[in-house]
Amino acid sequence: MNRPIGVMDSGVGGLTVAKEIMRQLPDESIVYFGDLDRCPYGSRSMEEVTRFTLQVADHLVSRGIKMLVVACNTATAAALHILEKRYDIPVIGVINPGARSAIQSSSNQDVIVLATEGTVASNAYPKAIHQINHRFKIQSTACPKFVPLVEELRYKDKVVVRVVLHQTLKHLADTKADTVILGCTHYPLLADEIRDYFYGRKKVIDSGYETAREVSAMLTMLRQHASPQSKPEHLMIVNGETSRFEYILKDWMPFIEYSLEQVELKEEQYGENRSRQR
């Protein structure tokens, strides 16, 4: 089935998931939606995040996608249970795959979760992990400065990143946890620096890899993989200004060919402003 897979995020972070899906499933087409105009979701109320998530998801479903991947931890925590009932296509979030990967990776059942304020407040990762293995010790830390580092294109400034990491993670430096979950899809762009901050002593889990595996398994079960040797067509939809999005997209995924659409998505309506090829 050559319909595309829909991937949504509050901004550019979900590109880390989209990139892994493209790597594992090179024949599949992706329609990606980045809600940059309302990013970040992590500091907003769960009610507001749910509203935005449903609106973006409805937009993607209207594009004829065969599966929806919610590549935003905050949106997953707020609205996954609603989305699963709302549509007749599979809906996959990033929290359960990340939780399972951490359980597989940890040797001492001691895990750190780095996430947005909203994801931490939702307690989504401890719930997901304890549902599988209640013996795990989990310490969650909100990292409100991490998403702006990525969205404001400062993630390559090593000095600034080190300062922000120290301010945010210094209380975790001596913990016995052997595994760190990057509980926001923006954070993999800081993964090397986070790994270095802990001197390589803690495994760093990026849920994108495991999420892509789950997408593949679901497509296999439903017999919905794209035809072999299909030529994928990737569409990037941005609610808001596109230059920052394109900068990160070209820096992080220079290999892909894509079309770009800029839309104006408001509370009750949206309209397409322009479309251009890349």
Side-chain angles (χ1 to χ4, degrees):
M1 182 184 290
N2 292 336
R3 288 160 55 197
I5 298 169
V7 180
M8 63 163 291
D9 185 47
S10 62
V12 300
L15 291 174
T16 61
V17 178
K19 180 180 181 180
E20 188 59 31
I21 293 173
M22 292 176 190
R23 187 188 72 81
Q24 294 188 32
L25 302 167
D27 294 329
E28 300 291 343
S29 296
I30 302 291
V31 178
Y32 181 94
F33 195 111
D35 194 9
L36 271 73
D37 221 29
R38 302 183 292 198
C39 181
Y41 283 5
S43 57
R44 296 180 181 271
S45 70
M46 286 292 103
E47 180 184 3
E48 195 171 27
V49 171
T50 299
R51 264 199 333 269
F52 293 167
T53 302
L54 295 180
Q55 190 183 25
V56 172
D58 283 349
H59 185 107
L60 282 172
V61 170
S62 75
R63 300 280 184 145
I65 59 175
K66 62 184 176 183
M67 175 183 294
L68 175 63
V69 179
V70 185
C72 172
N73 286 264
T74 307
T76 299
L80 183 66
H81 62 293
I82 300 173
L83 298 173
E84 290 173 332
K85 297 176 182 177
R86 189 178 181 90
Y87 309 119
D88 59 1
I89 59 172
V91 181
I92 294 175
V94 289
I95 288 176
N96 284 332
R100 287 195 295 270
S101 183
I103 290 170
Q104 292 166 2
S105 296
S106 179
S107 299
N108 66 357
Q109 300 185 343
D110 196 340
V111 170
I112 293 168
V113 177
L114 305 181
T116 65
E117 295 162 294
T119 301
V120 169
S122 74
N123 211 33
Y125 273 99
K127 288 177 183 175
I129 291 172
H130 286 152
Q131 189 173 22
I132 300 169
N133 188 332
H134 69 275
R135 295 180 178 84
F136 266 71
K137 176 184 176 182
I138 304 153
Q139 183 171 353
S140 299
T141 293
C143 308
K145 296 181 179 180
F146 284 12
V147 170
L149 274 182
V150 174
E151 292 288 339
E152 295 168 12
L153 308 180
R154 294 184 293 158
Y155 64 97
K156 285 192 168 184
D157 188 329
K158 303 302 183 185
V159 174
V160 171
V161 170
R162 280 196 293 268
V163 169
V164 172
L165 289 186
H166 182 68
Q167 291 172 343
T168 307
L169 305 179
K170 58 186 176 182
H171 68 291
L172 300 171
D174 298 322
T175 60
K176 294 181 180 179
D178 68 349
T179 301
V180 178
I181 300 174
L182 302 182
C184 173
T185 51
H186 285 72
Y187 296 0
L189 282 92
L190 306 173
D192 290 342
E193 288 78 11
I194 292 171
R195 194 176 290 107
D196 290 344
Y197 183 81
F198 292 115
Y199 299 100
R201 296 170 184 161
K202 302 183 191 302
K203 300 169 188 173
V204 176
I205 301 299
D206 170 8
S207 60
Y209 173 80
E210 198 66 30
T211 301
R213 284 185 59 193
E214 189 154 325
V215 168
S216 180
M218 183 66 71
L219 291 176
T220 299
M221 183 180 72
L222 298 175
R223 298 182 179 179
Q224 290 188 355
H225 281 289
S227 303
Q229 308 305 315
S230 297
K231 180 174 173 53
E233 296 181 0
H234 303 309
L235 173 62
M236 304 293 166
I237 305 171
V238 178
N239 178 37
E241 200 274 326
T242 62
S243 59
R244 287 181 297 129
F245 180 88
E246 285 201 272
Y247 175 89
I248 294 176
L249 177 63
K250 290 175 180 177
D251 178 60
W252 225 64
M253 302 167 66
F255 55 88
I256 72 162
E257 297 180 2
Y258 63 94
S259 300
L260 178 72
E261 282 189 19
Q262 185 180 29
V263 302
E264 184 180 355
L265 200 61
K266 297 184 182 301
E267 280 292 317
E268 300 299 333
Q269 63 183 20
Y270 55 80
E272 296 176 5
N273 292 337
R274 65 175 183 261
S275 174
R276 59 188 191 273
Q277 297 293 317
R278 282 291 180 274

